């Protein structure tokens, strides 16, 4: 009975092929012309090459776009080694869902504190990782198209996000920062690994949200208005999280997906992201378990508090519950929330097994959908034989089986592929510094 309910999360090989085909259609449409109708926007990043090793110096980097906000000072040395200092700040709901002034004032306060704490006197070039859909007009400007991942600060959509940051710096009388590059986290991740990995054509984030970027030939981008003879390549930020908004995933979505969508702040948006990323997987497991309990298939029909309320079951729990081979149920039973309260103490052995199966079904589907996306991209650039994918994000790093399941799914689709997934540790921060380095050099020339 339980297995019957979980069948709705199965994605077959044919299913993955179909998703890859539809996604490719969206990639092509998104690149076609300025005003296209694709759900996948394919934004031009104005980053034209991977780092070549000449990027040295001291930079600041900001990383805004997940559950934490970070300020970093990064020193790139001649020998390619990197030294960094980081300050991390948890972003509370009131900061991200109020107004843009509240959000950016907070950002500016953190930067001011960091500069004071580290005694930074000189004006440092700053790389700004802003991981939301931004339609860039240049390396230092871009309009926010929409918020994603639960952010909803009023007054930012439709505005230049670099200007919003500079305005906040002015309000806080912060003079010694020079924003030289605006970067998406995918691009930062690709750039951070690109040094020393010339086959690194793709950047991938599997964290709170999901998205990918890749190096495209400008001759394949009809909407590219720059000088194609000067710039043969440019990184494209796909914003693939929005895939599915035009119904492309309707026959793969189930009742749980619909239910989850209804409860989100961004209803009907980011469908692919909602099926894959860390912001949503916990809630998806909760909804399935809630349903199983009401059908008396779990916990003898007794509702546990962790399944009762929206977003109470965190995505991090999936990583903990799925650890090991499933034979040791004591770890599941002793799972605690942030307040050290046991959340599954009332579940018996069978219940624990079922909860683990639910987690597996939900995260396996996510891994297979993400795999279809990577295969689609790699096929598009004809690099199936050899391609390094730079990956970062909490889901990828913390989930015990996500990576292996993705690799297995890619192998189903392309048995002889040469796709290698490599962790680009802290790509958003270091990558932003890399792009800042290139931009700063160009500015001085
Ligand atoms: C969301 C954002 C995107 C970002 C991704 C991963 O999809 O819209 O810009 O890259 O999350 O953080």
């Amino acid at each position: 009975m339980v297995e019957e309910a979980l069948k709705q999360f199965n994605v077959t090989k044919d299913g993955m092929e179909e998703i890859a085909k539809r996604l490719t259609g969206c990639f092509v449409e998104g690149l076609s012309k300025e005003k296209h109708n694709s759900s996948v926007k394919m934004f031009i990043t104005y980053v034209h090459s991977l780092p070549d090793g000449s990027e040295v110096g001291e930079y600041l980097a900001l990383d805004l776009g997940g559950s934490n906000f970070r300020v970093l000072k990064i020193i790139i040395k001649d020998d390619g080694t990197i030294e960094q200092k980081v300050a991390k700040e948890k972003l509370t709901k009131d900061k991200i869902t109020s107004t843009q002034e509240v959000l950016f004032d907070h950002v500016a306060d953190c930067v001011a504190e960091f500069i004071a704490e580290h005694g930074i006197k000189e004006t440092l070039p700053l790389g700004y990782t802003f991981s939301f859909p931004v339609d860039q007009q240049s390396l230092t400007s871009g309009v926010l198209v929409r918020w994603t991942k639960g952010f909803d600060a009023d007054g930012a959509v439709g505005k230049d996000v670099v200007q919003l940051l500079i305005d906040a710096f002015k309000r806080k009388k912060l003079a010694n920062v020079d924003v030289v590059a605006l970067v998406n986290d995918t691009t930062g991740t690709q750039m951070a690994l690109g040094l020393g990995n010339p086959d690194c054509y793709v950047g991938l984030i599997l964290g709170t949200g999901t998205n990918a970027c890749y190096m495209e030939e400008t001759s394949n981008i009809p909407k590219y208005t720059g000088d194609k003879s000067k710039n043969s390549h440019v990184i494209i930020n796909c914003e693939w999280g929005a895939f599915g908004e035009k119904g492309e995933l309707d026959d793969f979505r189930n009742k749980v997906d619909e239910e989850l969508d209804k409860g989100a702040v961004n209803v009907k948006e980011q469908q692919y992201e909602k099926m894959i990323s860390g912001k949503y997987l916990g809630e998806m497991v909760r909804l399935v378990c809630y349903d199983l309990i009401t059908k008396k298939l779990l916990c003898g029909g007794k509702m546990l508090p962790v399944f009762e309320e929206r977003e109470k079951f965190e995505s991090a729990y999936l990583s903990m519950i799925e650890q090991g081979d499933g034979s040791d149920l004591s770890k599941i039973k002793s799972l605690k929330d942030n307040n050290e309260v046991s959340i599954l103490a009332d579940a018996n052995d069978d219940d624990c097994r079922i909860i683990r199966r639910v987690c597996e079904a939900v995260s396996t589907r996510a891994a297979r959908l993400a795999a279809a996306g990577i295969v689609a991209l790699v096929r598009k650039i004809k690099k199936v034989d050899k391609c390094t994918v730079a990956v970062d994000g909490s889901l990828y790093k913390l989930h015990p089986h996500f990576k292996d399941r993705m690799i297995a799914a890619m192998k189903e689709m392309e048995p002889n592929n040469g796709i290698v997934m490599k962790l680009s540790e802290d790509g958003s921060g270091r990558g932003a510094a890399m792009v800042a380095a290139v931009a700063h050099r160009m500015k001085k020339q």
Side-chain angles (χ1 to χ4, degrees):
M1 290 280 266
V2 171
E3 284 308 317
E4 200 54 40
L6 295 181
K7 264 197 191 145
Q8 54 182 337
F9 289 96
N10 286 354
V11 185
T12 61
K13 179 181 166 228
D14 287 348
M16 292 193 288
E17 285 295 350
E18 185 58 34
I19 289 167
K21 196 173 106 194
R22 293 181 198 172
L23 191 51
T24 306
C26 290
F27 293 156
V28 174
E29 167 91 33
L31 294 173
S32 65
K33 47 188 180 310
E34 245 354 290
K35 296 233 174 309
H36 57 75
N37 202 23
S38 175
S39 55
V40 183
K41 296 294 176 229
M42 308 298 273
F43 293 125
I44 291 165
T45 64
Y46 298 89
V47 176
H48 293 287
S49 62
L50 292 178
D52 64 3
S54 62
E55 301 76 11
V56 288
E58 289 188 27
Y59 306 92
L60 281 180
L62 303 189
D63 180 13
L64 178 64
S67 34
N68 294 304
F69 166 66
R70 297 180 317 146
V71 189
L72 304 95
K73 180 182 172 190
I74 293 173
I75 305 171
I76 314 174
K77 299 190 186 149
D78 302 351
D79 60 359
T81 56
I82 286 178
E83 209 183 277
Q84 64 183 46
K85 298 197 167 59
V86 191
K88 196 162 146 181
E89 177 87 9
K90 192 140 187 78
L91 283 174
T92 50
K93 203 164 178 184
D94 58 307
K95 295 277 188 301
I96 65 174
T97 57
S98 172
T99 62
Q100 63 85 4
E101 283 90 353
V102 169
L103 177 63
F104 287 101
D105 276 354
H106 178 64
V107 166
D109 280 338
C110 294
V111 176
E113 207 174 292
F114 185 88
I115 287 181
E117 215 167 87
H118 292 89
I120 300 169
K121 297 271 178 315
E122 68 280 30
T123 297
L124 290 183
L126 180 142
Y128 173 25
T129 303
F130 184 82
S131 308
F132 298 96
V134 168
D135 192 357
Q136 281 189 244
Q137 281 79 48
S138 71
L139 196 53
T140 50
S141 63
V143 170
L144 177 64
V145 174
R146 65 157 66 136
W147 287 114
T148 53
K149 300 177 280 195
F151 278 62
D152 196 16
D154 273 356
V157 171
K159 304 259 174 63
D160 177 356
V161 295
V162 175
Q163 198 53 51
L164 294 181
L165 179 69
I166 293 174
D167 289 347
F169 284 162
K170 279 192 192 141
R171 286 197 293 275
K172 300 284 170 183
K173 314 228 174 325
L174 206 82
N176 54 339
V177 276
D178 180 19
V179 185
V180 297
L182 170 65
V183 190
N184 184 263
D185 52 356
T186 51
T187 308
T189 297
Q190 184 179 357
M191 289 294 280
L193 198 82
L195 185 61
N197 286 289
D199 297 321
C200 181
Y201 302 108
V202 176
L204 169 67
I205 298 287
L206 292 162
T208 311
T210 182
N211 187 13
C213 72
Y214 73 107
M215 191 62 90
E216 180 61 284
E217 289 175 25
T218 49
S219 59
N220 287 334
I221 313 174
K223 73 176 178 184
Y224 186 86
T225 50
D227 184 349
K228 293 188 183 181
S229 62
K230 206 170 122 216
N231 295 310
S232 61
H233 290 81
V234 70
I235 294 180
I236 297 290
N237 166 17
C238 303
E239 284 296 334
W240 77 10
F243 178 54
E245 283 180 23
K246 300 242 151 72
E248 305 96 326
L249 287 168
D250 280 3
D251 42 344
F252 292 92
R253 294 177 70 238
N254 59 39
K255 284 213 180 74
V256 187
D257 293 307
E258 276 170 36
E259 191 68 26
L260 182 132
D261 191 39
K262 275 189 215 146
V265 287
N266 54 351
V267 181
K268 293 203 174 6
E269 295 179 355
Q270 304 289 112
Q271 300 296 10
Y272 191 51
E273 179 158 85
K274 282 176 179 151
M275 296 167 94
I276 296 176
S277 76
K279 171 96 183 113
Y280 308 100
L281 296 188
E283 176 65 358
M284 202 160 321
V285 168
R286 184 193 74 84
L287 288 168
V288 178
C289 290
Y290 185 97
D291 188 49
L292 292 176
I293 291 173
T294 55
K295 290 184 176 137
K296 296 204 166 38
L297 293 170
L298 181 62
C299 299
K302 180 175 169 244
M303 190 55 70
L304 304 187
V306 72
F307 297 127
E308 202 160 21
E309 245 177 70
R310 222 171 73 75
E311 293 186 354
K312 261 217 116 176
F313 192 94
E314 296 181 14
S315 293
Y317 299 161
L318 272 84
S319 300
M320 298 178 206
I321 289 172
E322 286 188 67
Q323 249 155 44
D325 60 2
S327 53
D328 181 7
L329 299 173
S330 65
K331 285 225 177 72
I332 302 182
K333 243 179 251 176
S334 59
L335 193 67
K336 292 194 174 74
D337 67 11
N338 289 334
N339 303 319
E340 291 297 304
V341 176
S342 288
I343 49 177
L344 296 175
D346 287 343
N348 66 25
D349 282 5
D350 279 343
D351 296 331
C352 289
R353 276 188 209 104
I354 293 174
I355 295 167
R356 185 179 157 112
R357 273 294 299 131
V358 176
C359 292
E360 272 171 7
V362 167
S363 63
T364 301
R365 183 183 69 161
R368 292 174 75 78
L369 290 176
I374 290 297
V375 169
L377 259 190
V378 172
R379 279 181 185 157
K380 178 169 190 322
I381 53 174
K382 301 192 174 56
K383 300 288 182 195
V384 177
D385 293 346
K386 197 167 192 234
C387 180
T388 300
V389 177
V391 200
D392 200 2
S394 47
L395 178 61
Y396 180 81
K397 282 196 289 198
L398 303 180
H399 193 284
H401 309 294
F402 204 90
K403 178 183 179 182
D404 291 346
R405 289 182 193 149
M406 259 187 92
I407 290 174
M410 291 192 297
K411 227 176 159 61
E412 268 178 58
M413 297 177 77
E414 286 288 351
N416 298 316
N417 77 69
I419 304 170
V420 179
M421 304 224 289
K422 269 200 193 160
L423 178 66
S424 174
E425 191 75 72
D426 188 25
S428 328
R430 288 189 301 129
M434 289 285 175
V435 182
V438 179
H440 187 58
R441 193 179 57 211
M442 277 163 30
K443 209 169 157 180
K444 280 196 303 195
Q445 272 164 9

